[in-house]
């Protein structure tokens, strides 16, 4: 919805809007083939340098730049995001909250901050038979304490998310005490101060565990972080009031996954609308949203679009 | 040392023994290229069928049968183990017990029984962001309880050995709650009744954990077992008295690793003699035994060999 472009007619509704309405299809939101994810919106918002995006290559060495040429997508410059009045994005929730609360519309007030950690436990590789338990430097018991630590942090408040997605023992033989364990931790929270507190709890816990397990080396690295995103409160209010006006049950929530709207929110007032997906499953052949929920989401989106596009603001 | 073969002269010592002394070099003790390990002794003792050993093939599909022909080792039948008076084997300890106790000779009274388990924890793969902790079916906390269970079993008595050598989360992504965890458990004890009790404790513990974690599937499979080995007490006594006579400090112990002597012990009176290895390290370029310790082991072995070979029994 650009401020300074001529307002087009919306033929189906017979309405003339005060602002133009642009539909965005961002390049490479998923990041499955080319990293980073949310690539097009990152470039458009000035967060990801264009040169870096064009130089990204897939597992076969094919570059984004060449694929854009091959598909004919290299001919137009990125839209000037700064001209927009606002940005709206409709998405399935990718989680079970709407389904569990029996609500149809998620009023997304922001996105969780994310911190990724790589942790290594260094012990001593030994034969499972000859070495008595008391003489081993086995990192496995410390792995149990690390799991308890991380999940205790995840239990401190219902909005916290803590995930140990990867655990791998080395060399990984049935009859060898592992010399090394690698694990990952993913911490998320919609409040940056709370996320800071979770980070501090993790670091403090690791220091305590290192001192009570002196024979095991404990190495913790923060590898990546994505700050908390706050969507525009007046847009969120508009999503809620639009849903209410249509008699659709709405629920305020934050997004756990990343979306293009996270980039856009740093440049223009933005908001997201969620609809339920069955069992909270996504990125999976089982992913499903009912036609009724999709229609409800589209109607709330249209209502918010029209409200903003009709106003001179 | 065959009972019915003519006794040879041992030229270096100027001794004539009552029994012949045979030196055995068993084919494929390690099992690194061809499985199972302890192949030659297994066949000679009638524990492993010859056809199965000959048909074993390596990662490139090369068969033991063809390699034996290629090396010229197919020309003689296996020795008749049943004719032997006794079997003696000298080895580095592959563990730290002798080093830690300051003893030079290990009088090996037997070998640990071994049981191998493959365990799977089945949860539900979900995105690390959108799904609240309370709604997840995350198998990772149960992994911590499994580790505690196994290591508690390992702590019940100093002769018990419990090893979790392999842990792997699936799909193993930093931002995905694992849908499945695979882990292995290796239980060892020199007393079969104690090993039974450890097995029972593992099974009972798993049943209890399954009932307190109803959202996670717990699948435990006993994959392999090797029974406790008891070496011949009179041979062990002879090892000890030989060491004492030479003023070499000896220590009674069991073998944690497998050896050809485990097969032989099922057919003829057998015993093993251990010498220390530095830091208990083996199967590693750091493996080292001092010339003094190797000489002490060889002298005790020679003393026991002569004692048995000189007697008419």
């Amino acid at each position: 919805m650009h401020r300074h472009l001529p307002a087009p007619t919306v033929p189906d509704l017979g309405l003339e809007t005060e602002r133009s309405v642009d539909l965005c299809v961002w390049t490479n939101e998923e990041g499955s083939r080319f990293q980073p994810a949310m690539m097009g919106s990152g470039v458009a918002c000035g967060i990801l340098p264009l040169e870096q995006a064009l130089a990204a290559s897939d597992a076969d060495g094919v570059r984004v730049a060449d694929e854009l040429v091959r598909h004919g997508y290299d001919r137009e410059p990125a839209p000037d995001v700064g001209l927009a009045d606002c940005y709206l994005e409709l998405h399935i929730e990718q989680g079970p909250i709407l389904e569990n609360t029996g609500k149809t519309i998620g009023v997304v007030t922001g996105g969780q901050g994310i911190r990724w950690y790589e942790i290594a436990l260094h012990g001593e590789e030994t034969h499972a038979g000859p070495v008595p338990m008391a003489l081993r430097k086995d990192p496995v018991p410390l792995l149990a304490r690390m799991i308890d630590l991380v999940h205790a942090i995840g239990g401190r408040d219902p909005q916290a998310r803590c995930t140990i997605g990867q655990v791998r023992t080395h060399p990984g033989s049935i009859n060898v005490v592992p010399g090394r364990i690698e694990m990952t931790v993913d911490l998320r929270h919609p409040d940056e101060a709370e996320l800071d507190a979770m980070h501090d709890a993790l670091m403090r816990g690791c220091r305590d565990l290192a001192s009570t397990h002196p024979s095991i080396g404990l190495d913790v690295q923060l590898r990546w972080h994505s700050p908390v995103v706050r969507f525009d409160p007046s847009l969120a209010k508009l999503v809620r009031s639009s849903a209410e006006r249509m008699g659709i049950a709405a629920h305020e929530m934050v997004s756990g996954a990343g979306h293009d709207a996270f980039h856009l929110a740093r440049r223009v007032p933005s908001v997201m609308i969620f609809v339920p997906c069955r069992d909270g499953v996504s990125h999976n052949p089982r992913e499903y949203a009912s036609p009724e929920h999709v229609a409800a989401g589209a109607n709330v989106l249209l209502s918010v679009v029209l409200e903003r596009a009709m106003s001179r603001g």
Side-chain angles (χ1 to χ4, degrees), chain A residues 92-177:
Chain A
I92 60 166
E93 180 198 336
Q94 300 182 277
I97 295 173
L98 291 174
E99 197 172 59
N100 276 35
T101 55
K103 304 294 172 74
T104 297
I105 290 294
V107 181
V108 188
T109 57
Q112 295 172 336
I114 307 172
R115 304 201 190 174
W116 281 358
Y117 304 83
E118 288 176 8
I119 299 178
L121 316 182
H122 298 275
E124 192 171 87
E125 188 181 321
T126 45
H127 195 299
V131 185
M133 305 296 283
L135 298 180
R136 297 181 179 191
K137 294 176 181 173
D138 184 346
V140 172
L142 179 55
L143 170 62
R145 302 288 73 74
M146 288 295 299
I147 292 171
D148 288 343
L149 168 66
V150 170
H151 279 264
I153 294 171
R156 15 189 309 148
D157 105 53
Q159 294 194 287
R161 307 275 186 275
C162 293
T163 302
I164 296 173
Q166 198 177 96
V167 177
R168 190 167 289 197
T169 51
H170 298 272
S173 292
I174 194 166
N175 61 344
V176 178
V177 175

Side-chain angles (χ1 to χ4, degrees), chain A residues 104 248 275 288-299:
Chain A
T104 297
I248 303 173
V275 293
Y288 176 80
S290 75
E292 293 73 21
H293 288 155
V294 171
N299 281 328

Side-chain angles (χ1 to χ4, degrees), chain A residues 38-262:
Chain A
M38 310 185 298
M39 184 179 270
S41 57
V43 171
C45 293
I47 292 160
L48 177 69
L50 177 62
E51 298 66 34
Q52 187 184 329
L54 292 175
S57 58
D58 69 8
D60 297 323
V62 179
R63 294 183 322 141
V64 167
D66 299 323
E67 285 299 82
L68 288 179
V69 171
R70 193 165 72 86
H71 290 280
Y73 285 162
D74 63 319
R75 289 167 207 168
E76 292 187 53
D80 187 343
V81 169
L83 294 177
D85 166 65
C86 67
Y87 175 80
L88 308 168
E89 189 172 338
L90 173 64
H91 209 285
I92 60 166
E93 180 198 336
Q94 300 182 277
I97 295 173
L98 291 174
E99 197 172 59
N100 276 35
T101 55
K103 304 294 172 74
T104 297
I105 290 294
V107 181
V108 188
T109 57
Q112 295 172 336
I114 307 172
R115 304 201 190 174
W116 281 358
Y117 304 83
E118 288 176 8
I119 299 178
L121 316 182
H122 298 275
E124 192 171 87
E125 188 181 321
T126 45
H127 195 299
V131 185
M133 305 296 283
L135 298 180
R136 297 181 179 191
K137 294 176 181 173
D138 184 346
V140 172
L142 179 55
L143 170 62
R145 302 288 73 74
M146 288 295 299
I147 292 171
D148 288 343
L149 168 66
V150 170
H151 279 264
I153 294 171
R156 15 189 309 148
D157 105 53
Q159 294 194 287
R161 307 275 186 275
C162 293
T163 302
I164 296 173
Q166 198 177 96
V167 177
R168 190 167 289 197
T169 51
H170 298 272
S173 292
I174 194 166
N175 61 344
V176 178
V177 175
R180 189 173 90 255
I181 300 174
E182 287 165 2
M183 60 185 289
T184 62
V185 172
D186 174 314
L187 299 186
R188 302 186 187 213
H189 201 286
D191 183 302
E192 201 74 43
E194 284 299 318
L195 193 53
D196 282 341
M198 290 164 70
H199 169 89
D200 292 345
L202 178 66
M203 292 300 147
R204 195 170 50 244
C206 286
R207 274 196 304 275
D208 291 348
L209 287 175
S211 74
T212 54
H213 294 72
S215 69
I216 308 298
L218 181 55
D219 179 47
V220 184
Q221 300 286 338
L222 174 65
R223 283 299 181 203
W224 179 75
H225 75 108
S226 174
V228 165
V229 174
R230 292 197 182 282
F231 287 141
D232 184 72
S234 63
L235 280 170
K237 201 172 153 195
L238 190 53
V239 172
R240 177 177 277 284
S241 62
S242 299
E244 278 168 2
R245 191 156 30 77
M246 289 185 258
I248 303 173
H251 182 74
E252 264 195 20
M253 60 191 302
V254 294
S255 172
H259 296 285
D260 290 310
F262 287 23

